[in-house]
Amino acid sequence: MTFRQKLLLLFAATVLLCVAVISASVYSTIRRRFEQADQDRANAVAAQFRSEFGRRGLEVSRKVESVAASETVQHIALEMNRGAADSGGYVGQAHTLAGQQHLDFLELVDYRGAILSSAQWQAKFGYPEAAISQTTISQATPPQAMPAQTTLAQATTPAPAVPAGAFLKREELPDGATLGLFAVRVARVGEQPLYVIGGERLDQGFLATLDIPSGTRVLLYQNLDAKWNAKSLLDLNGPAAGVDQIAPLVAQVRDTLQESQRVIHWTSDSADAEVFHAIPLTGPIFSATNQASLNQGPLNQSPAANQSPANQQLMGVLLVGSSRRPLIELQRQIVSTAMLVGGAGIFVAVLASLWFAARVTRPVVSLAEAARRVAAGDLGAKVEVESSDELGELAASFNRMTEDLVQQKDRTLQAERVAAWRELARRLAHELKNPLFPLQVTVENLMRAKQKSPEMFEEVFHEGTATLLAEIDNLKTIIGRFSEFSKMPQPQRRPTQVNDVVHSVLRVFHAQLRDNDKEKNRIVVRTELAEALPEISADPDLLHRALQNLVLNAIDAMPQGGELTIRTRTLDDRIELSVSDTGSGLTQEECGRLFTPYYTTKQHGTGLGLAIVQSVVSDHGGKISVESTKEKGTTFRIELPCDFSAYSASLR
């Protein structure tokens, strides 16, 4: 991946990350605010319901109290205390009184709890009323609970307890049960009280009195049956649609008697969903052992709201639903805006990265190109300095570096030339000094024999001339070796198979290695030649000569026998040829000086063999390296390029 591509990805990733973080933050903030607003609306509706419940409760209580104080009820109470035998004449009185006070429900109940008259269902005459129990009758009424018309003499007799406020109660009707808001008052004329129980329906009419915020709707579930009843779920327009999806929420409230919340998805479109807050409406459980809960309110907000949860039963569930359409549409708008901004940001990032890359990478590319030229040997490569910033300073430093390299190269070449001439002089002096001494001694012997023993001169002359000729031949050999190294020919290139060169070299040493097989100190030859090795452009004769020197060195390194291994393999665009032995090995210092001309570790070596190998490899554009471990062996590796055109171009 190029630097420009990295810059493009960096800019694009930065823009996308910023857009994503901002969008997620806005998204989360809006969601929290919406949920908080939704909770506030639900709380406002619940508070309004409480307020309306209290207002309507006071109104119902006032109406029931008016009925209890009416002349008709007082007359009935008086007749009951006088022991009237027939109470059937009162059956229609409750209906008339309910119409006068605009009450939906009204019942007159005697001190035993039997219904004397029912406005909503006359057939209930004589049936017991659960709200008035025998325990209630036996309880004393505190003075503050007595009706205003009660006299002091009457107060001396214990009176039944009645709830001071309104409460929710299930009411049975001919067409089914319903939920109502009730109040109880006592009409007492004498010792036997007469109870007046009146109330109003808690239905759509009650919901219509609530001020519902926009985007919110209120439903009422009347908990009249042991199981879920879809007909009991009402809204302002009548039975609510899609009630089956609300059933689990109502069931959860029925199980816990605690406020719950759930998102209801009406369709596959999430914008049509609503968040419903379900608020339980509780009422007293009427029994012979429990009447204290009659004064409890209808909204069960917390455990503190009811002194004993066992005294309460779920009468209904107030459902406050808020549409999620504003939130979903706003979220969709945020997503679309984020995508638009992200796309625009990526486009700007592309332009910015192109401009920035052109400004930054152009000098970097020029610097990289100049570095490649320097690596190829062109130390005169320069980089144009186009700015005075860090990149310009880097370019100027690179130019100074190449100038220093040129100067250093000149100094190094000069020092190498001097060192090479000194080494050549030393080696020549060393090589020539050995044969000159026998020559000098032989000539001195001839001169001494000529002067002192003429009769023996002929014999000494023949011996001396033989010695002189032998040493002169030795001098010729030494001079020939140095002359051969100085006249290394240039490679005559043609397609060459390296494996064939290996086989030709092994044929040269075949007889020598075969004789060693019969001896105690034998040398085993192993070849690991890669199949389908590509041909290279090389001089097979020079390669044969270089490989022959390496094999000869390996044989000389194993006088006690060992293993000689020759391998070939392909490495990308190169071919590797390695020669390994299991001989005495070399030290690190010896490995470092091994390819220096005239350096040898052999007793009678000239130090030119490996120098010739390195010269051949270098002329072919390859490189040679050595790895060795003392007493374990040595490995020479030659790497030759498969395509020589790049190397030829670099030389030009």
Side-chain angles (χ1 to χ4, degrees):
M1 183 180 293
T2 64
F3 184 66
R4 293 187 179 186
Q5 292 173 334
K6 292 180 180 179
L7 282 177
L8 174 60
L9 290 178
L10 178 62
F11 280 121
T14 302
V15 170
L16 289 178
L17 180 62
C18 293
V19 172
V21 169
I22 294 174
S23 300
S25 177
V26 173
Y27 190 96
S28 177
T29 301
I30 290 177
R31 187 182 186 90
R32 289 197 303 270
R33 294 293 177 84
F34 181 87
E35 291 175 351
Q36 183 61 44
D38 179 68
Q39 184 65 48
D40 293 342
R41 285 195 296 270
N43 293 337
V45 172
Q48 188 180 164
F49 182 88
R50 294 188 193 96
S51 177
E52 182 65 17
F53 185 91
R55 187 189 68 80
R56 296 285 291 274
L58 290 175
E59 183 178 348
V60 169
S61 298
R62 181 186 58 79
K63 291 180 179 180
V64 173
E65 189 171 349
S66 298
V67 172
S70 66
E71 184 179 350
T72 302
V73 173
Q74 292 293 319
H75 176 72
I76 295 174
L78 180 60
E79 291 294 328
M80 295 298 296
N81 276 275
R82 289 178 178 177
D86 185 14
S87 59
Y90 310 135
V91 173
Q93 295 295 331
H95 185 272
T96 302
L97 294 171
Q100 293 174 355
Q101 296 294 330
H102 303 289
L103 291 171
D104 297 323
F105 313 109
L106 184 63
E107 290 179 341
L108 303 178
V109 183
D110 64 13
Y111 70 97
R112 295 170 300 180
I115 299 175
L116 299 178
S117 179
S118 175
Q120 60 269 23
W121 195 0
Q122 293 185 0
K124 293 175 66 176
F125 171 76
Y127 282 86
E129 171 56 52
I132 306 300
S133 67
Q134 294 298 326
T135 304
T136 301
I137 296 174
S138 65
Q139 292 176 343
T141 304
Q144 63 270 21
M146 294 182 184
Q149 70 274 15
T150 305
T151 65
L152 180 60
Q154 295 168 334
T156 59
T157 303
V162 295
F167 57 90
L168 292 175
K169 188 174 81 74
R170 169 195 175 99
E171 183 64 25
E172 295 291 342
L173 297 176
D175 55 351
T178 188
L179 186 64
L181 180 60
F182 287 84
V184 180
R185 290 294 181 266
V186 180
R188 186 181 182 91
V189 180
E191 296 181 356
Q192 298 178 1
L194 178 65
Y195 297 95
V196 180
I197 304 176
E200 295 181 354
R201 292 178 183 270
L202 194 66
D203 54 10
Q204 293 95 331
F206 186 89
L207 298 179
T209 61
L210 302 179
D211 185 13
I212 308 301
S214 177
T216 305
R217 65 169 175 160
V218 178
L219 291 82
L220 177 64
Y221 179 75
Q222 299 178 334
N223 190 37
L224 304 174
D225 301 296
K227 295 183 179 180
W228 165 261
N229 187 351
K231 296 181 179 180
S232 297
L233 184 64
L234 307 176
D235 65 9
L236 293 178
N237 300 320
V243 295
D244 291 339
Q245 299 190 56
I246 301 179
L249 179 59
V250 173
Q252 183 177 356
V253 175
R254 295 176 67 175
D255 293 338
T256 63
L257 284 182
Q258 297 293 327
E259 182 177 344
S260 299
Q261 176 182 329
R262 180 170 297 191
V263 178
I264 305 297
H265 295 275
W266 303 111
T267 65
S268 58
D269 186 1
S270 57
D272 293 333
E274 289 181 283
V275 180
F276 274 94
H277 295 263
I279 304 171
L281 307 178
T282 59
I285 300 176
F286 294 106
S287 67
T289 59
N290 184 12
Q291 285 295 318
S293 60
L294 288 175
N295 290 319
Q296 300 296 333
L299 296 181
N300 184 19
Q301 296 176 324
S302 65
N306 298 303
Q307 296 177 356
S308 176
N311 295 336
Q312 295 292 307
Q313 63 178 334
L314 185 69
M315 307 304 300
V317 180
L318 183 67
L319 298 164
V320 182
S322 298
S323 175
R324 291 176 60 87
R325 181 171 295 277
L327 173 63
I328 298 301
E329 290 180 350
L330 187 56
Q331 289 176 343
R332 289 173 178 174
Q333 185 176 357
I334 292 174
V335 172
S336 60
T337 303
M339 294 179 63
L340 180 61
V341 173
I346 292 177
F347 178 73
V348 173
V350 171
L351 296 180
S353 65
L354 292 177
W355 176 84
F356 190 75
R359 180 176 178 82
V360 175
T361 61
R362 183 167 56 246
V364 175
V365 170
S366 301
L367 188 63
E369 179 62 27
R372 283 192 291 268
R373 290 171 58 190
V374 171
D378 184 9
L379 298 181
K382 299 291 182 182
V383 179
E384 295 183 4
V385 180
E386 299 179 352
S387 61
S388 58
D389 54 10
E390 290 83 355
L391 292 175
E393 183 179 351
L394 179 61
S397 299
F398 181 84
N399 292 336
R400 289 194 298 271
M401 180 194 70
T402 55
E403 293 174 358
D404 293 342
L405 286 176
V406 171
Q407 297 176 3
Q408 182 67 28
K409 180 182 179 181
D410 293 340
R411 290 193 295 268
T412 302
L413 289 176
Q414 184 176 0
E416 288 178 351
R417 292 191 190 99
V418 173
W421 280 111
R422 288 177 178 174
E423 182 65 19
L424 178 60
R426 187 188 68 81
R427 294 295 298 178
L428 282 173
H430 176 75
E431 295 292 338
L432 295 177
K433 182 169 62 176
N434 292 333
L436 286 177
F437 179 74
L439 288 175
Q440 180 181 358
V441 173
T442 301
V443 171
E444 289 176 352
N445 289 336
L446 288 174
M447 293 176 62
R448 189 180 303 110
K450 180 69 176 177
Q451 294 174 357
K452 295 182 178 182
S453 303
E455 67 281 1
M456 299 179 60
F457 177 74
E458 188 69 24
E459 182 180 353
V460 173
F461 177 76
H462 288 294
E463 292 179 358
T465 53
T467 301
L468 289 174
L469 291 175
E471 294 302 329
I472 290 173
D473 288 338
N474 190 15
L475 285 174
K476 287 182 179 180
T477 301
I478 294 172
I479 294 172
R481 289 176 180 174
F482 280 94
S483 177
E484 180 183 10
F485 178 72
S486 64
K487 295 179 180 179
M488 284 293 297
Q490 289 297 318
Q492 302 297 318
R493 299 181 177 281
R494 63 176 182 269
T496 303
Q497 176 57 253
V498 176
N499 288 343
D500 295 340
V501 176
V502 173
H503 292 306
S504 65
V505 171
L506 291 179
R507 281 194 295 269
V508 173
F509 293 95
H510 179 69
Q512 179 180 352
L513 295 174
R514 184 182 58 186
D515 293 339
N516 287 339
D517 288 343
K518 300 177 182 179
E519 298 176 358
K520 182 178 180 180
N521 301 326
R522 59 180 299 185
I523 295 177
V524 179
V525 179
R526 295 176 58 246
T527 57
E528 299 177 4
L529 307 181
E531 298 181 358
L533 200 67
E535 292 184 338
I536 62 173
S537 177
D539 187 329
D541 296 332
L542 291 180
L543 290 182
H544 182 280
R545 182 177 179 182
L547 182 58
Q548 183 176 344
N549 282 338
L550 293 178
V551 172
L552 183 59
N553 283 346
I555 294 174
D556 292 342
M558 296 182 291
Q560 304 300 324
E563 185 176 281
L564 171 64
T565 305
I566 301 178
R567 300 182 180 90
T568 60
R569 61 173 180 166
T570 303
L571 298 175
D572 296 333
D573 58 345
R574 296 164 295 157
I575 289 179
E576 182 185 88
L577 170 63
S578 63
V579 178
S580 303
D581 64 65
T582 58
S584 57
L586 302 169
T587 64
Q588 294 297 322
E589 181 182 359
E590 290 173 337
C591 289
R593 301 177 59 190
L594 202 57
F595 299 103
T596 302
Y598 317 116
Y599 174 79
T600 181
T601 58
K602 301 177 183 179
Q603 184 177 0
H604 301 290
T606 61
L608 297 177
L610 292 178
I612 292 173
V613 173
Q614 186 182 44
S615 176
V616 171
V617 173
S618 178
D619 288 342
H620 283 80
K623 64 178 182 179
I624 184 172
S625 60
V626 61
E627 297 176 3
S628 184
T629 303
K630 199 67 176 176
E631 305 301 335
K632 290 187 177 180
T634 304
T635 298
F636 288 90
R637 287 189 173 86
I638 297 176
E639 294 183 12
L640 300 173
C642 295
D643 184 6
F644 195 72
S645 58
Y647 178 75
S648 300
S650 66
L651 292 179
R652 293 194 296 271

